[in-house]
Amino acid sequence: MESLRAEAREAPESGIVEVMTYGWGRPGLIPLWAGEGDLPTPEFIRDAASRSLADGETFYTSQRGIPELREALADYHTRLYGRPFQPERFFVTGSGMQAIQIAVDSVAGAGDEVLVPSPAWPNIVAALGVSGARPVELPMSLGNDGWVLDLEKLKAAITPKTRAIFVNSPSNPTGWVAGREVLAEILDLARKEGLWIISDEVYSRFYFGDAPRAPSFYDVAEDDDRILYVNTFSKNWAMTGWRVGWISAAPELGQVIENLIQYSTSGVAVFMQRAAVAALNDGEAFVAEQVARARSGRDLICSALERTGRTRFAWPAGAFYLFFAVDGEPDTSKLGLRLVDEANIGLAPGTAFGAGGEGYMRLCFARGADGLQTATQRLVTWLQTSCA
Amino acid sequence: MESLRAEAREAPESGIVEVMTYGWGRPGLIPLWAGEGDLPTPEFIRDAASRSLADGETFYTSQRGIPELREALADYHTRLYGRPFQPERFFVTGSGMQAIQIAVDSVAGAGDEVLVPSPAWPNIVAALGVSGARPVELPMSLGNDGWVLDLEKLKAAITPKTRAIFVNSPSNPTGWVAGREVLAEILDLARKEGLWIISDEVYSRFYFGDAPRAPSFYDVAEDDDRILYVNTFSKNWAMTGWRVGWISAAPELGQVIENLIQYSTSGVAVFMQRAAVAALNDGEAFVAEQVARARSGRDLICSALERTGRTRFAWPAGAFYLFFAVDGEPDTSKLGLRLVDEANIGLAPGTAFGAGGEGYMRLCFARGADGLQTATQRLVTWLQTSCA
C-alpha cells in the first residue's frame, strides 16, 4: 500500500458511502442519502438503447460522440437558452463525473490550485486531489437570506497558482442558486485573473423559481470565454446508472478534450448515446414531471421541518436536496448513523461535503409523495422525541 | 489554448486516427487499421443487456462491480489459469482503457517514471503523459527469432524515479508473446527494485501456441505481488464499443481502486455488467471461433506477404495484428496514406506505436476470410507493382 502513489492512497472514501454501507439492507429503511430519485429511466429511453443493441451497434465510435447526439445536445441548449448552439461545442462523456475529471485534467494538475465554494459534492474536491491539483475550499455561510458566496473571499483566495474556479449552481448539497449578477461577477473576476471556470449546471432544470431553468453562465458569457460546462443525463432523465454526460466548451478545445476522452475511456457506447438522443428529443414531459415531484417534495419536507422548530436551513432554490442543521446535534456523522438506527431513514452527513458542511445533514427529496411522507413523518417524530 | 494544462495540451492525437480520418468513407476501402474485428457482439450478450434494461436496472450500483460479475470473473480466471481466484480481486471498469488509467493513477504521477517496452499501443504512453508521469520507452528489436525484449536494457533504464513497468503480452502491435521465463525475470527484477508491474494481458486468448491462452504473470506471481492486471471485454467477446473492462489486483488495494473509479466515472451500468456476465459464462464457443478466425487470418496474410519477398516481419505468436516493414518504404506515415489511395486498404503506421515502430505498418487480421483475402490480394498486388 505504501508503494502506491500518495494522491491515490489519500483519495478519501466518500463520506456518503460510509452511512450507506452502515444502513444497507435494513428492512424498511427509506434511503434519501444518494443523489438519485426512485424512478427508473423512462421506457422510451431504455427502448432506444435496446433497439440499437438489436441493430448490432456495438463497434467503436467517435470519441467526441455520435453526430446525432451532438446535434440533439445543440438543439436542446438552443431551446433552453434561447440562442443558437453548434454541435461542435458538445463532447459526450462517460458520466458527469468523467466530464468533471476531463475538465479538471484540461486545466489543472500537480502544483495548481482550484477554488471550490463549499459545501460541495465531495467528488469534486476528490477528483481535484487525484489529478494532483490542490482544491481550495471556500466555505459559504447560511445567513438570513440563505446561503451566500462571499465574492471578496473568493477574490482574496486567488494566488499565482490558481487556475480555475469550480462553480456548482444550483448547488448540491445546499440548494443555493447563483443569480445572474453573481454569475456575471464571478465571470468578470475569472476574466480579469485569467482563470478558467468549470461550471457544473447539472441541476439547472431543478429550479424552483419562475422559469424552466436556473440562471446560467450561458446567460452572461461569450462563446469563447474560458468556461468548461460539465453536465449529465443522470438527474433530468433518471439515468443515474447509465454513466453518460457531456462537456460544453469552445470548439477550439475539441482536440484536447477528444484526446483526454481517448486516454481515459475512449468514448461512450453507441447504444447508450441513442438513448441519450431519445432523452433530449422526447424527454421534456418527463423532466417536467420530475421537477414537479421535486418541488412537492421540497415543500413537504421543508414545511414539516420548519414546524418542529428544531432545524435550521434555507429553502432550496434549486437541485433536489435539503441541507439542514439540527439544534443540539453538531456531530452529523454520528447523527447519520443514529437516524438509521432510530428513525430508519438514510441521510448523508454534511461533513462529507467539506468545509462549511459540518453540522448539517443532506436529504434527497427527489421521491414520490408516499415514501417521502413516511420519511418526513419519521424524521419529525425523531426530532420531537429525541433528546438534544 | 495556451492557458490549458501543458499535459492536456500535449496529449498527442492518436496516430492511428490520422490515417482513419484520411480514409474515412472511401468506397470499398477495407479497414484493417483499428483493433477491432468485423463481428458484432453475439446476440446472447446483447440480449442480456436488453433484458436488464427492460427490468429497469438503471440505478447507481457498486463502484467495484456487481457481485455477479465479480463472481463470474473469478470463475473465468479459475478455469483459465487452473487455480482458485476470489471475486474480491476483481474491479469492473469503464473499458480496458480506464483500467489502464486507474492502474497508472494508482502507482505513478508527476515526477515519476514508468518503463514501457515499445512499440506499444499508443494510448499507454499517452495515458502516462496525461497522468503527469514520464513514460520511458524501451525499443524492442526484430531479430531472426522474432521480437526481443532486452532485459539488461530494461534493468539499465531503472532510475530512482521509476515506479512501474508496463508489460503488454501478447503485444499490440508486434504479436510478441513473453515466455514464462521472461515473465519470471521481469517479475524478479520488479520485486528486487520495488517496482509495480502493470500487466496488459488483453490479448491472452489470442494465442497461436498450443494452449488456450498465452503465458501470464499469473503463472509465475504470488497473489500479493505488486501487479495490476488490466483487461477488457472488447476483444474476446467482440464488445469493443461497450467500454467495459476490469482490473485484477490484491484485494488490499480495493479501497484505493474503488475510490479512483468513484472519482473518474463512478461505476459501470448494471445492464452492461449483466452482458459481461453472459459473455464470461456462456462465451467460450464464441472466443474459440474468434481465435480460429484470427489464426486463419494470420496464416493467410503472413504466407502471402512472405511470398512477395518485399516485407520483413515475425509471424505473430499472439494478438491479432501483423506488424511488418516494407523494403524501400521507411516513411510509413506516408505509406499509410498511399495504401488508402493506391490499394484501397487501411493500415496503421508504425510510428503511431512509438520508439521502434518506425518503418512498420500494423494490419489487423481479426476478420472473416472474404474481406481479408481481398485485402491481402490488394496489398500483394501493390507490393508487386509499386516502385520502392
Side-chain angles (χ1 to χ4, degrees):
Chain A
M1 281 292 282
E2 71 290 347
S3 63
L4 293 177
R5 176 176 167 245
E7 289 85 349
R9 232 165 39 216
E10 290 159 10
E13 184 174 0
S14 165
I16 307 177
V17 170
E18 192 187 351
V19 62
M20 288 173 73
T21 306
Y22 183 74
W24 202 259
R26 302 272 178 131
L29 181 131
I30 301 176
L32 308 172
W33 40 38
E36 183 174 51
D38 55 350
L39 296 176
T41 309
E43 201 169 350
F44 75 91
I45 296 175
R46 291 182 273 143
D47 285 350
S50 294
R51 272 198 306 279
S52 171
L53 275 165
D55 289 347
E57 295 192 312
T58 58
F59 294 94
Y60 284 131
T61 187
S62 161
Q63 300 292 304
R64 301 187 191 200
I66 60 172
E68 295 85 344
L69 180 49
R70 302 179 77 198
E71 193 82 49
L73 280 164
D75 293 348
Y76 173 77
H77 283 75
T78 298
R79 290 195 302 273
L80 198 57
Y81 298 96
R83 60 182 179 81
F85 284 80
Q86 301 305 317
E88 290 70 28
R89 60 173 295 132
F90 298 98
F91 306 91
V92 180
T93 59
S95 72
M97 183 67 240
Q98 191 186 37
I100 291 175
Q101 183 192 46
I102 286 172
V104 165
D105 276 346
S106 297
V107 300
D112 298 327
E113 294 176 359
V114 175
L115 305 181
V116 185
S118 66
W121 186 43
N123 290 27
I124 296 164
V125 163
L128 284 164
V130 171
S131 81
R134 195 169 83 84
V136 177
E137 293 179 276
L138 293 165
M140 296 173 64
S141 53
L142 176 56
N144 289 333
D145 293 328
W147 289 89
V148 177
L149 174 63
D150 185 334
L151 288 167
E152 287 308 312
K153 223 156 73 178
L154 187 68
K155 198 169 168 179
I158 296 171
T159 77
K161 292 180 176 173
T162 309
R163 301 298 311 274
I165 308 171
F166 196 107
V167 183
N168 168 225
S169 168
S171 158
N172 169 10
T174 64
W176 169 71
V177 173
R180 206 178 158 120
E181 305 69 32
V182 172
L183 295 172
E185 286 182 81
I186 295 172
L187 177 60
D188 191 49
L189 181 64
R191 282 176 179 164
K192 277 189 191 131
E193 302 281 347
L195 303 180
W196 283 86
I197 291 170
I198 302 176
S199 184
D200 173 343
E201 304 190 3
V202 161
Y203 294 97
S204 70
R205 304 301 302 276
F206 291 88
Y207 178 57
F208 309 121
D210 196 20
R213 61 160 178 90
S216 162
F217 276 110
Y218 288 126
D219 297 324
V220 295
E222 304 296 323
D223 279 350
D224 58 354
D225 266 309
R226 291 182 184 170
I227 305 183
L228 294 159
Y229 298 84
V230 295
N231 218 315
T232 178
F233 287 86
S234 291
K235 315 295 179 181
N236 294 350
W237 298 282
M239 294 173 73
T240 45
W242 290 64
R243 323 311 304 128
V244 189
W246 73 88
I247 292 173
S248 159
E252 296 79 63
L253 303 183
Q255 192 59 52
V256 171
I257 293 172
E258 171 178 333
N259 293 344
L260 291 175
I261 292 171
Q262 171 76 252
Y263 304 127
S264 52
T265 51
S266 305
V268 173
V270 174
F271 55 87
M272 306 275 251
Q273 297 193 55
R274 298 280 181 217
V277 170
L280 289 167
N281 290 348
D282 305 312
E284 278 304 305
F286 182 76
V287 173
E289 180 195 333
Q290 288 235 91
V291 176
R293 274 172 123 232
R295 189 191 291 265
S296 303
R298 178 190 77 138
D299 295 352
L300 173 72
I301 185 78
C302 289
S303 311
L305 289 202
E306 238 169 28
R307 282 193 297 270
T308 67
R310 266 202 75 192
T311 57
R312 203 168 67 87
F313 59 86
W315 280 58
F320 47 56
Y321 308 99
L322 176 62
F323 203 60
F324 67 100
V326 178
D327 290 347
E329 297 286 353
D331 185 345
T332 50
S333 291
K334 274 192 196 147
L335 183 56
L337 307 182
R338 280 180 65 197
L339 287 171
V340 166
D341 287 333
E342 301 171 13
N344 214 15
I345 52 178
L347 308 189
T351 43
F353 302 87
E358 311 84 1
Y360 290 87
M361 299 295 297
R362 188 190 75 171
L363 178 155
C364 173
F365 52 72
R367 300 237 135 206
D370 279 10
L372 207 56
Q373 253 152 9
T374 309
T376 302
Q377 195 45 54
R378 287 182 191 176
L379 182 56
V380 165
T381 304
W382 187 89
L383 286 167
Q384 288 167 338
T385 55
S386 76
C387 305
Chain B
M1 284 291 283
E2 72 290 348
S3 63
L4 294 177
R5 175 176 169 245
E7 290 85 349
R9 231 167 38 218
E10 290 158 11
E13 184 174 0
S14 166
I16 307 177
V17 169
E18 192 188 349
V19 61
M20 287 172 73
T21 306
Y22 183 74
W24 202 260
R26 301 273 178 129
L29 181 130
I30 301 176
L32 309 172
W33 40 39
E36 183 173 52
D38 57 349
L39 296 176
T41 309
E43 202 170 350
F44 74 93
I45 296 175
R46 290 182 274 143
D47 286 350
S50 293
R51 271 197 307 278
S52 171
L53 275 166
D55 289 347
E57 294 192 312
T58 58
F59 294 95
Y60 284 132
T61 188
S62 161
Q63 300 293 304
R64 301 186 190 200
I66 60 173
E68 295 84 345
L69 180 50
R70 302 179 77 198
E71 193 82 49
L73 280 163
D75 292 347
Y76 172 78
H77 283 74
T78 299
R79 290 194 304 271
L80 198 57
Y81 298 97
R83 61 181 179 82
F85 284 80
Q86 301 306 316
E88 289 71 27
R89 63 172 294 131
F90 298 98
F91 305 91
V92 180
T93 60
S95 73
M97 184 66 242
Q98 192 186 36
I100 291 175
Q101 184 192 44
I102 286 171
V104 165
D105 276 345
S106 297
V107 300
D112 299 326
E113 294 175 358
V114 175
L115 306 180
V116 185
S118 65
W121 187 43
N123 290 27
I124 296 164
V125 162
L128 283 164
V130 172
S131 81
R134 195 169 82 84
V136 178
E137 293 178 277
L138 292 165
M140 295 173 65
S141 53
L142 176 56
N144 290 333
D145 294 328
W147 289 88
V148 177
L149 174 63
D150 184 334
L151 289 167
E152 288 306 313
K153 223 157 73 178
L154 187 67
K155 198 169 170 180
I158 296 172
T159 77
K161 293 179 176 173
T162 308
R163 302 296 311 275
I165 308 171
F166 196 108
V167 183
N168 169 225
S169 168
S171 158
N172 169 9
T174 63
W176 169 71
V177 174
R180 205 179 158 121
E181 305 69 31
V182 172
L183 295 172
E185 286 183 81
I186 295 172
L187 177 60
D188 191 50
L189 181 64
R191 282 176 179 165
K192 278 190 189 129
E193 302 280 347
L195 303 180
W196 283 86
I197 291 169
I198 301 176
S199 183
D200 173 344
E201 304 189 3
V202 160
Y203 295 98
S204 70
R205 305 300 301 275
F206 291 88
Y207 177 57
F208 308 121
D210 195 19
R213 62 160 177 90
S216 162
F217 276 109
Y218 288 125
D219 296 325
V220 295
E222 304 295 325
D223 279 349
D224 59 354
D225 265 310
R226 292 182 184 169
I227 305 183
L228 294 158
Y229 297 82
V230 294
N231 217 314
T232 178
F233 288 86
S234 291
K235 315 296 178 180
N236 295 350
W237 298 283
M239 294 174 73
T240 44
W242 291 64
R243 324 310 305 129
V244 189
W246 73 87
I247 292 174
S248 159
E252 295 79 62
L253 303 184
Q255 192 59 53
V256 170
I257 293 172
E258 172 178 332
N259 293 344
L260 291 175
I261 292 172
Q262 171 77 250
Y263 304 128
S264 52
T265 50
S266 305
V268 173
V270 173
F271 55 86
M272 305 274 251
Q273 297 193 55
R274 298 279 181 218
V277 169
L280 289 167
N281 290 348
D282 304 312
E284 277 305 305
F286 182 75
V287 173
E289 180 195 332
Q290 288 234 91
V291 176
R293 275 173 121 231
R295 188 191 293 264
S296 303
R298 179 189 77 139
D299 294 351
L300 172 72
I301 186 78
C302 289
S303 310
L305 289 203
E306 238 170 27
R307 282 192 298 269
T308 68
R310 265 202 76 192
T311 57
R312 203 168 67 86
F313 59 86
W315 280 58
F320 46 56
Y321 308 99
L322 176 63
F323 204 60
F324 67 100
V326 179
D327 290 346
E329 297 286 352
D331 185 344
T332 50
S333 291
K334 274 192 197 145
L335 183 56
L337 307 181
R338 280 180 63 197
L339 287 170
V340 167
D341 287 334
E342 300 171 14
N344 214 16
I345 52 177
L347 308 189
T351 42
F353 302 87
E358 311 84 1
Y360 290 87
M361 298 295 298
R362 190 191 75 171
L363 178 155
C364 172
F365 52 73
R367 298 239 135 207
D370 278 8
L372 207 56
Q373 253 152 9
T374 309
T376 302
Q377 195 46 56
R378 288 182 191 175
L379 182 55
V380 165
T381 304
W382 187 89
L383 286 167
Q384 287 166 341
T385 55
S386 76
C387 306

